Amino acid sequence: HPDIAKSIEDLGTNYYQRGEYEKAVEYLREALAMQRELHKTPHPALIQALGNLGWAYMGLSKFDEAEPLCRLALAMARQVYGDVHPETAAILNNLAFVLQVRGDLQEADAAFRETLVINRKLLGESHPTIALTLSNIGFVAIARGNWDEGVDLLQQSLDMTRRVNGPEHPDVGARAATLAYWLVEMGR
């Protein structure tokens, strides 16, 4: 029954939020199996179950398990919601993070940049999510050895965060510290 699957998934999500990732994975696997039985074709509940289990595997640093779940959730999200939708953007961002951690920086960069395009269409040019995505692209650029581009993106992220959230917001301090770190690393 869909309500039972959702309750089991909620239990897994609760364990995840408490940092009990192994327990979360146990319940989220069960919920995904139930959603697969309930929905033979792409469906929002199935997409959510795939994404939640992928996120739990990320919490365990099991990126090899997370990646195929993120890819399948993304393919289904594109079918169900289309390319320009908040769910599609969120799943694409999660996949980009997995790819970055696994060292597939070229594909991570492309996924983060696509996330940026989608979020700009949905949220406009100036939004906290846009600032965060600029930082993510900057970190990938730095990891790829493109330090100037990466630092420029981190600066753009800081400037936007300051503009959108105000100069006293905690994210401003965090982004300023990150930018300062990389500037020091570059000898500037």
Side-chain angles (χ1 to χ4, degrees), residues 50-151:
L50 286 162
N52 285 341
L53 182 56
W55 195 251
Y57 277 128
M58 285 186 252
L60 289 170
S61 298
K62 293 185 174 182
F63 300 104
D64 288 343
E65 282 98 357
E67 184 180 344
L69 294 168
C70 290
R71 286 188 186 280
L72 183 55
L74 178 60
M76 288 185 183
R78 289 186 194 279
Q79 284 183 282
V80 171
Y81 304 119
D83 289 331
V84 181
H85 189 278
E87 285 297 318
T88 304
I91 294 165
L92 183 60
N93 186 75
N94 291 348
L95 175 60
F97 175 75
V98 169
L99 294 166
Q100 179 182 5
V101 171
R102 293 191 67 214
D104 188 347
L105 300 177
Q106 184 173 347
E107 193 174 357
D109 181 71
F112 277 133
R113 287 179 190 275
E114 185 180 351
T115 300
L116 181 64
V117 169
I118 294 168
N119 282 328
R120 280 183 168 154
K121 288 177 182 176
L122 295 169
L123 305 169
E125 288 297 317
S126 195
H127 188 277
T129 300
I130 302 298
L132 178 60
T133 306
L134 288 169
S135 285
N136 290 339
I137 297 168
F139 292 134
V140 171
I142 290 168
R144 293 178 77 186
N146 302 328
W147 289 56
D148 289 331
E149 178 190 8
V151 166

Side-chain angles (χ1 to χ4, degrees), residues 36-55:
R36 281 183 164 146
E37 284 297 315
L38 291 165
H39 308 287
K40 302 299 184 193
T41 61
H43 184 276
L46 182 55
I47 295 165
Q48 183 175 347
L50 286 162
N52 285 341
L53 182 56
W55 195 251

